């Protein structure tokens, strides 16, 4: 089992993030990478669905906020790409397997390999250690951070996109499937920044509106000196509080930084905002973590 010690729980509560090295074995990481390769080999994305992924506000609203392909991806396995990988006609300028940014947002529901990892006894033990009583799986993503083109992820809080009332009910589980280094775009955090609420929110606009989403509030201009780099080795798990501010730099190295990440919500006594871009569906309600 992977229960957290009392000191680890306190560290997470104080900082808003926690690193657990060696959470997955080399073989477990390899199995997930092999499986994602099989999924990519069958990838068929129509021209009108070739959506570039971004976390910068204007680009989000342009590339994702008005794209049904993104807004209806919460219960599906869909493909999102780096900036600048398509020509004006939507054709790939680089090989598709080298252009993909992420695959999301329901790998945990539709693929047996990722479902087993998400609901594994090790994951359940960590989550129980944090006191979650009725956690449900909200979304999942496989992130590639491609060599030389893996895009920068700007400072943000996950709760900006996965908002709950009360706050403090969303937990990110980020698993490094390759070494995450300063050169290839490891995570950076502002320790303790999870205690000051949410500075902005992405909300879904009424049906048939354009764009499909908008932002309430704005992201502060965070000082770079506040961020702490968090390089980790393959197999590490990083726990991420829903309100902690974090980012990653562009990958300018020759090595990718692949990871699998999913988000949980404590469902007991929690209201999932009906304005969130991601909503459970009749076909795929948020599945309970504990099985």
């Amino acid at each position: 089992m992977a229960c957290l010690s009392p000191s680890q729980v306190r560290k997470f509560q104080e900082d808003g993030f926690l690193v657990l090295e060696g959470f997955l074995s080399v073989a477990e990481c390899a199995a997930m990478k092999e499986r994602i390769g099989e999924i990519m080999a069958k990838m068929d994305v129509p021209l009108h669905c070739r959506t570039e992924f971004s976390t910068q506000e204007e680009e989000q609203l342009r590339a994702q906020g008005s794209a049904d392909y993104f807004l209806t991806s919460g219960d599906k396995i869909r493909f999102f790409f780096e900036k600048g990988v398509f020509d004006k006609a939507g054709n790939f300028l680089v090989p598709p397997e080298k252009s993909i940014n992420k695959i999301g947002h329901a790998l945990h529901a539709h693929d047996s390999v990722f479902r087993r990892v998400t609901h594994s006894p090790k994951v359940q033990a960590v989550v129980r250690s944090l006191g979650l009583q009725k956690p449900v799986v909200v979304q999942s993503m496989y992130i590639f951070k491609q060599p030389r083109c893996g895009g920068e992820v700007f400072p943000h809080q996950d709760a900006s996109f996965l908002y709950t009332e009360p706050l403090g009910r969303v937990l990110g589980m980020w698993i490094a499937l390759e070494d995450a280094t300063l050169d290839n775009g490891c995570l950076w955090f502002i320790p303790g920044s999870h205690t000051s609420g949410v500075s902005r929110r992405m909300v879904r606009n009424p049906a048939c509106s354009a764009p499909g989403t908008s932002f309430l509030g704005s992201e502060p201009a965070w000082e770079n000196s506040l961020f702490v780099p968090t390089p980790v080795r393959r197999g590490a798990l990083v726990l991420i509080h829903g309100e902690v501010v974090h980012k990653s730099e562009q990958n300018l190295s020759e090595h990718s930084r692949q990871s699998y990440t999913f988000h949980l919500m404590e469902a007991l006594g929690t209201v999932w905002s009906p304005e969130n871009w991601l909503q459970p569906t009749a076909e795929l309600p948020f599945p309970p973590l504990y099985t």
Side-chain angles (χ1 to χ4, degrees):
M1 289 296 185
C3 294
L4 300 181
S5 67
S7 62
Q8 287 175 315
V9 173
R10 286 195 300 272
K11 182 68 170 172
F12 175 74
Q13 292 171 341
E14 291 170 1
D15 291 345
F17 68 98
L18 181 71
V19 174
L20 301 176
E21 291 281 5
F23 186 77
L24 291 189
S25 68
V26 171
E28 289 172 316
C29 293
M32 297 173 75
K33 292 180 65 177
E34 180 180 359
R35 178 58 188 145
I36 211 69
E38 295 169 352
I39 292 172
M40 287 176 56
K42 299 178 181 178
M43 178 175 65
D44 182 17
V45 184
L47 285 175
H48 70 281
C49 295
R50 295 186 178 180
T51 300
E52 295 178 346
F53 182 77
S54 174
T55 59
Q56 194 169 32
E57 185 165 325
E58 290 184 3
E59 292 177 354
Q60 281 176 330
L61 295 179
R62 182 177 67 251
Q64 293 154 220
S66 60
D68 284 342
Y69 186 76
F70 170 78
L71 292 173
T72 59
S73 65
D75 58 354
K76 302 174 182 68
I77 296 176
R78 286 188 167 167
F79 306 89
F80 303 90
F81 301 91
E82 296 289 351
K83 293 187 294 182
V85 299
F86 301 118
D87 64 18
K88 292 182 179 180
N91 299 306
F92 285 102
L93 295 171
V94 295
E97 68 274 11
K98 297 296 184 182
S99 64
I100 192 163
N101 173 286
K102 72 171 185 175
I103 298 175
H105 289 91
L107 284 162
H108 64 277
H110 295 306
D111 186 85
S112 60
V113 171
F114 291 95
R115 185 186 304 117
R116 280 196 300 271
V117 172
T118 304
H119 294 272
S120 68
K122 289 190 289 190
V123 167
Q124 293 187 21
V126 166
V127 175
R128 289 186 193 277
S129 298
L130 292 173
L132 277 71
Q133 300 180 55
K134 192 179 178 182
V136 295
V137 187
V138 171
Q139 68 166 4
S140 56
M141 300 176 285
Y142 193 102
I143 302 171
F144 291 85
K145 205 75 168 180
Q146 299 282 4
R148 298 179 300 280
C149 71
E152 175 183 2
V153 177
F154 296 91
H156 68 283
Q157 299 166 290
D158 291 342
S160 292
F161 310 95
L162 310 173
Y163 188 80
T164 64
E165 294 182 355
L167 288 171
R169 302 304 180 95
V170 170
L171 173 68
M173 311 279 282
W174 190 96
I175 302 172
L177 302 181
E178 298 176 320
D179 291 347
T181 68
L182 291 172
D183 292 330
N184 70 3
C186 69
L187 298 175
W188 294 65
F189 292 92
I190 300 181
S193 57
H194 61 300
T195 61
S196 301
V198 173
S199 57
R200 69 167 184 159
R201 290 177 54 196
M202 175 189 256
V203 298
R204 181 187 282 259
N205 290 329
C208 302
S209 298
T213 61
S214 58
F215 281 97
L216 303 177
S218 59
E219 201 71 55
W222 302 104
E223 291 288 341
N224 281 333
S225 62
L226 298 175
F227 286 91
V228 174
T230 311
V232 296
R233 294 184 292 274
R234 174 179 54 183
L237 167 65
V238 183
L239 302 178
I240 304 175
H241 190 286
E243 281 94 74
V244 73
V245 178
H246 57 291
K247 67 174 184 175
S248 65
E249 304 293 343
Q250 185 177 3
N251 182 5
L252 299 176
S253 78
E254 300 297 317
H255 304 285
S256 60
R257 191 225 64 187
Q258 297 185 23
S259 60
Y260 174 60
T261 183
F262 56 95
H263 286 87
L264 306 174
M265 177 187 71
E266 170 58 86
L268 186 64
T270 307
V271 176
W272 179 258
S273 175
E275 296 180 318
N276 285 341
W277 77 268
L278 173 64
Q279 294 295 325
T281 64
E283 294 76 18
L284 184 62
F286 295 153
L289 178 71
Y290 303 147
T291 55

